Amino acid sequence: MKKPSPLRSLAGVPLLFSLAGTTVPAAAADKALLDILLGNGVITQEQYDSLMQKPALTSEDILGGAAASPAPPPAPAKLAEQPVSPDVARQIDVAVADAVDRRLSDDSEGGFMQSFASQVADSFPVNADYTDKGFRLETKDGRFQTNLQWRAQMRYSEPFRSDPRQVASFEEPETRDFETRRLRMKIGGHGYQPWLKYYFEVDLQPTRDSDDESYAASSRLITWRADIAKWDWATLRLGQWKVDLNQERVASSGRQQFVERSIANRVFTIDRQMGVQLRGHLFQETPADMRYYVGAFTGEGRGVANDDDNLMYMGRLQWNFLGRDMPWRMTDVEYTEQPTGALAFAGFTNEGVCTRWSSSGCGRLDGYASPLVDQPGLYEIDQWTQEFSFKWRGFSALQEYHNKTIKDSDRGTEEELTGGYAQAGYFFHHLFPVVPAPLEVAFRYAFVDEPNASDRMLENERREYTMGLNWFFNGHNNKLTLDYSHLTLEDEFLSRDVSDNRVRLQWDVSF
């Protein structure tokens, strides 16, 4: 006994409109179907008369005619004027199902279903897809594109969640902390032309300390920018973003090799600023391959208007000395087939009330006055940075050195701060197949030599030694990171040396 087709349970009329190329034997079902289409305003009387002359109908006959001369929407009363008996409806359903059964049985290569899917896709004005940038919507002409991505970073830390900077921080009671370190929404793409790009990022739930004000955990727009990128050699960027001074800070926190950036980051980053920048990629795929960045910014950090007529000026020159561009993404999870390296130098100068910056905006280093002091241009800061990076077949190395000078116009003093880090990682599976392929082992050393908070004529020396393990489920978009750090501090004012160990475990996932 022949097994009944599951398509018989579907309504015949809608199915005919989706199955291009299906032939329905001319019979009472043809007339009943045309009566329904005419009654619902899908075809005109002229089309009805023409189709009735055909010995057999195909859906192209109906769809083509309807598309060529669409009829106006029917009035609600029209439907009631064209009743269809249950017997006629069953005849239509049986005829359609039999035709589909025959078509599918003759289409062993799947061409029919491919044709059906192609017609559906062609009828939709926007393409939908999923990429490493998240969910993508793009018009068929390529003029407009939007990528939407959600990201969560969930972390466990013990015995403290941040880097201790003073002796008192090392001696505080130990804590065990679970936190949603970052919960972000990213939206980017282009509009009108592929080279008119945009991007913005919202921090949905920043974690705050118990003594912080509640606004410290409020959602905030941390990045927004627009790029006029018609030429590789000259791109104009406007907005608010992490200024391209050094790779450790500019590389996303979701593209790091360890749970968090090094102890040098807080002291030497200039983070997000509002301004304009010219950037470009020159002499591509030659021994002189390089990137340049030149910009002017308010110097007050994220979302703060300038308090004087001074601007922050910065520049960076990156030489890709092997003729291949170096991406700002830590680790070599992509397995770079050819050796790729870069050497860069960068610097900036600024006059204002800030001595440091972060995603929260303008801030102060330990021992310096608060940015709330009403004295524009209180500090003049000059900083230069050297950076080296390299990747090849699962191995990666990254190193930065920073030198920062702070001139205090109120005290008439000048202090020098130095710091940096060096780190390397490797996927040992490429040497020993017994090691799981998703596992990376990494090590980092970092240092900061800075003025003592109690007496800026004296110095504090901080050191970090961190071992890390990464397990990549899906590249940087889904990874688990475990790191162990030994942190030390030599306080010259107190003549004390203190140290402690820290363990952190983090799951970073993007959707």
Side-chain angles (χ1 to χ4, degrees), residues 296-409:
F297 304 87
T298 61
E300 302 299 324
R302 179 188 64 85
V304 178
N306 203 355
D307 65 344
D308 54 29
D309 60 354
N310 298 314
L311 292 176
M312 172 188 285
Y313 299 98
M314 66 78 59
R316 174 185 167 98
L317 186 64
Q318 174 180 316
W319 176 33
N320 302 312
F321 54 84
L322 294 174
R324 287 175 284 276
D325 193 32
M326 172 61 73
W328 287 20
R329 183 184 298 112
M330 296 185 186
T331 83
D332 191 29
V333 65
E334 298 88 359
Y335 193 79
T336 304
E337 285 284 359
Q338 295 181 298
T340 303
L343 177 64
F345 291 90
F348 78 92
T349 183
N350 183 66
E351 290 186 35
V353 295
C354 312
T355 51
R356 63 173 292 263
W357 296 267
S358 70
S359 58
S360 296
C362 179
R364 71 178 184 93
L365 292 172
D366 297 342
Y368 292 87
S370 167
L372 298 178
V373 174
D374 188 17
Q375 190 174 340
L378 176 60
Y379 300 110
E380 178 185 336
I381 299 180
D382 299 295
Q383 179 177 321
W384 65 271
T385 298
Q386 171 268 322
E387 176 188 298
F388 172 83
S389 55
F390 181 81
K391 290 184 179 183
W392 189 33
R393 295 186 175 180
F395 173 77
S396 63
L398 182 61
Q399 169 270 328
E400 293 180 7
Y401 174 80
H402 301 272
N403 182 285
K404 181 175 183 176
T405 301
I406 303 178
K407 297 178 182 178
D408 187 332
S409 61

Side-chain angles (χ1 to χ4, degrees), residues 241-246 249 265-273 297 301-302 312-314 347-348 350 356-358 361 381 383 404:
W241 72 97
K242 287 185 288 188
V243 178
D244 308 83
L245 184 75
N246 65 309
R249 183 56 186 147
N265 175 71
R266 182 181 187 274
V267 178
F268 298 103
T269 180
I270 56 177
D271 213 88
R272 294 172 173 87
Q273 302 285 343
F297 304 87
R302 179 188 64 85
M312 172 188 285
Y313 299 98
M314 66 78 59
F348 78 92
N350 183 66
R356 63 173 292 263
W357 296 267
S358 70
I381 299 180
Q383 179 177 321
K404 181 175 183 176

Side-chain angles (χ1 to χ4, degrees), residues 155-161 175-177 259 466-467 481-487 500-506:
R155 180 184 301 177
Y156 168 79
S157 303
E158 181 185 348
F160 30 72
R161 57 185 290 266
T175 62
R176 296 178 178 179
D177 189 72
V259 168
T466 298
M467 178 69 72
T481 303
L482 172 69
D483 68 20
Y484 168 83
S485 298
H486 180 65
L487 305 169
D500 208 340
N501 301 317
R502 177 184 60 199
V503 176
R504 299 179 294 192
L505 178 65
Q506 179 172 278

